[in-house]
Amino acid sequence: PDNQYPIKTVVVAGNFSPILRGHIEHIKKAKELGDWLIVITHPDEINKRKGGYSIPLADRVSVLESLKWVNKVVISIDDDGTVAKTLEKLQPNIFAKGGDRTPENMPQNEIDICEKYGIQIWYHVGEVLSSSRKTMDDCLKDREIYLKSHIPT
């Protein structure tokens, strides 16, 4: 579909809290699918609701904007943790999902919006290398172990 852009526009979405090597790989591979790459990230409140913590939005946006493959960063307007309303507003040609996403674990409202507006969904764009939540949990556990071993009781 031509949608509203004269060039092929690709969208990726995620928490990016923290931004990891797998995210970079996903963004890089997604850019190869089109001419213009838009990255959607969630506000801090959504990230905190999902994982209990969040790298501040301004920091995530700054890092994402600095990546050479990224043409624009957009903050999700959705309040349910999905990006369905944001996709409806942007109407890209392609919605590129990361290596761990399948039709079975993708939010149905995102699938419905993509079908409604003729947005192609590409799954498994980039390898699954790690989970932000697992990485942060591991860091917090390591910090706790370090503090326990170095602070006298």
Side-chain angles (χ1 to χ4, degrees):
D2 292 331
N3 293 3
Q4 66 185 26
Y5 300 102
I7 56 177
K8 188 181 280 189
T9 303
V10 180
V11 164
V12 299
N15 295 327
F16 305 106
S17 184
I19 298 170
L20 300 172
R21 185 170 44 120
H23 294 126
I24 305 295
E25 178 70 15
H26 174 54
I27 288 167
K28 185 174 158 182
K29 293 290 186 189
K31 177 65 178 215
E32 294 173 4
L33 300 175
D35 307 304
W36 190 261
L37 180 65
I38 301 172
V39 176
I40 302 170
T41 191
H42 296 285
D44 292 336
E45 309 80 59
I46 298 295
N47 280 0
K48 288 177 184 172
R49 195 179 323 149
K50 283 184 167 185
Y53 46 78
S54 181
I55 304 298
L57 179 62
D59 293 333
R60 289 183 282 127
V61 169
S62 179
V63 171
L64 289 165
E65 287 177 339
S66 74
L67 298 174
K68 67 181 181 180
W69 307 281
V70 176
N71 296 105
K72 185 171 181 64
V73 177
V74 172
I75 311 308
S76 173
I77 59 173
D78 300 76
D79 59 5
D80 61 357
T82 72
V83 294
K85 292 177 186 173
T86 310
L87 284 170
E88 184 171 34
K89 183 176 179 182
L90 295 172
Q91 294 185 29
N93 301 101
I94 296 171
F95 184 26
K97 301 300 288 177
D100 60 342
R101 294 294 175 220
T102 67
E104 291 75 33
N105 66 14
M106 185 172 163
Q108 187 60 48
N109 61 347
E110 292 179 358
I111 293 171
D112 294 343
I113 288 296
C114 289
E115 288 175 357
K116 180 177 179 180
Y117 292 99
I119 301 165
Q120 297 174 27
I121 303 171
W122 286 52
Y123 295 99
H124 310 293
V125 177
E127 296 178 44
V128 179
L129 298 175
S130 59
S131 155
S132 294
R133 182 173 295 165
K134 182 179 180 331
T135 299
M136 286 299 291
D137 288 346
D138 289 348
C139 287
L140 292 171
K141 285 177 194 169
D142 289 347
R143 180 178 184 271
E144 186 178 319
I145 291 167
Y146 173 83
L147 290 174
K148 283 181 181 177
S149 66
H150 287 80
I151 297 177
T153 54

